Amino acid sequence: MKTLIVLSALPGAGKSTYSEQFRRTHKNVFVVSSDEIRKELTGEYQNFTMEKEVWDTYLKRLNEYALKDLDDLTVIADATNPTNYFRKYYYENTFNYDEKILVCIFKPWELLLKQNMMRNEKKIVPMYAMEKLRNEWEDPNEEIIGLFDQYLRINRWFSSDKVPQKFYYKE
């Protein structure tokens, strides 16, 4: 089965940590991260001068991984996706997946700010951007939840942004 997991959470909630933990504990997992694409294209995580190219590359990679010659794979779409518009956009514009899952991670604002500051200094999201994303945030509505094969709501999944040192693949 080819599965797409669309993550949705504010910065500092643990999207990238969730992705890394999932990748390390499951086989055939590919992570498409908007932050990593931005760094690849601009040399910096917080350089927003090439956003069209970042998001075009993001969508292209989500679809390319689905074409891999593997019967069983999971692709994780690691980006904020703060509104129902974006959640629906990636649902409708990703192809060749048998299953699509929406995973929303919710944490208290104070914890998001704390975990944001615990990041590598080059990945810290500026406060103005945190506030902007907080103001844009929409909880998934019934229409969006109904589109996806599964909806997972994670509340306070973990309180550290560190992935444990050892993971083993499931057999």
Side-chain angles (χ1 to χ4, degrees):
M1 177 175 296
K2 294 187 179 192
T3 303
L4 174 68
I5 297 175
V6 175
L7 297 180
S8 183
L10 293 174
K15 295 178 302 296
S16 295
T17 302
Y18 175 96
S19 298
E20 182 63 10
Q21 184 176 13
F22 195 96
R23 186 188 66 76
R24 290 185 181 198
T25 57
H26 296 77
K27 292 183 179 180
N28 303 324
V29 176
F30 304 92
V31 177
V32 179
S33 164
S34 58
D35 288 343
E36 294 302 324
I37 292 169
R38 190 172 294 108
K39 183 170 188 318
E40 177 186 322
L41 296 178
T42 70
E44 300 173 16
Y45 292 108
Q46 299 297 326
N47 181 334
F48 299 97
T49 60
M50 297 181 66
E51 286 303 279
K52 179 176 180 351
E53 293 86 351
V54 167
W55 295 108
D56 288 349
T57 301
Y58 182 81
L59 182 58
K60 179 180 175 189
R61 288 187 185 166
L62 291 176
N63 283 308
E64 285 175 346
Y65 279 121
L67 299 176
K68 283 195 168 287
D69 191 21
L70 295 167
D71 292 331
D72 187 29
L73 69 80
T74 301
V75 176
I76 300 176
D78 180 354
T80 304
N81 297 310
T83 67
N84 289 319
Y85 170 83
F86 289 112
R87 297 168 191 134
K88 185 175 183 176
Y89 178 83
Y90 290 111
Y91 176 88
E92 291 178 341
N93 290 284
T94 50
F95 309 105
N96 300 308
Y97 288 99
D98 303 308
E99 180 180 44
K100 295 180 184 177
I101 301 170
L102 176 62
V103 175
C104 292
I105 305 172
F106 295 88
K107 287 191 179 176
W109 179 245
E110 295 75 25
L111 186 54
L112 291 172
L113 295 177
K114 178 181 173 185
Q115 288 194 194
N116 180 46
M117 297 309 292
M118 291 171 62
R119 294 177 168 180
N120 170 317
E121 68 181 42
K122 294 179 181 179
K123 287 185 138 187
I124 294 173
V125 177
M127 189 60 171
Y128 75 87
M130 291 288 292
E131 289 285 353
K132 180 179 183 287
L133 288 166
R134 179 186 191 190
N135 291 333
E136 290 176 358
W137 178 266
E138 296 175 329
D139 286 349
N141 61 29
E142 287 185 30
E143 174 195 358
I144 297 305
I145 292 170
L147 287 176
F148 287 85
D149 298 296
Q150 290 184 52
Y151 168 61
L152 302 175
R153 179 184 172 101
I154 300 172
N155 295 308
R156 297 182 63 112
W157 172 52
F158 55 88
S159 61
S160 172
D161 67 337
K162 305 296 180 201
V163 176
Q165 295 298 316
K166 290 187 176 181
F167 285 93
Y168 298 97
Y169 286 105
K170 292 183 178 179
E171 295 300 325

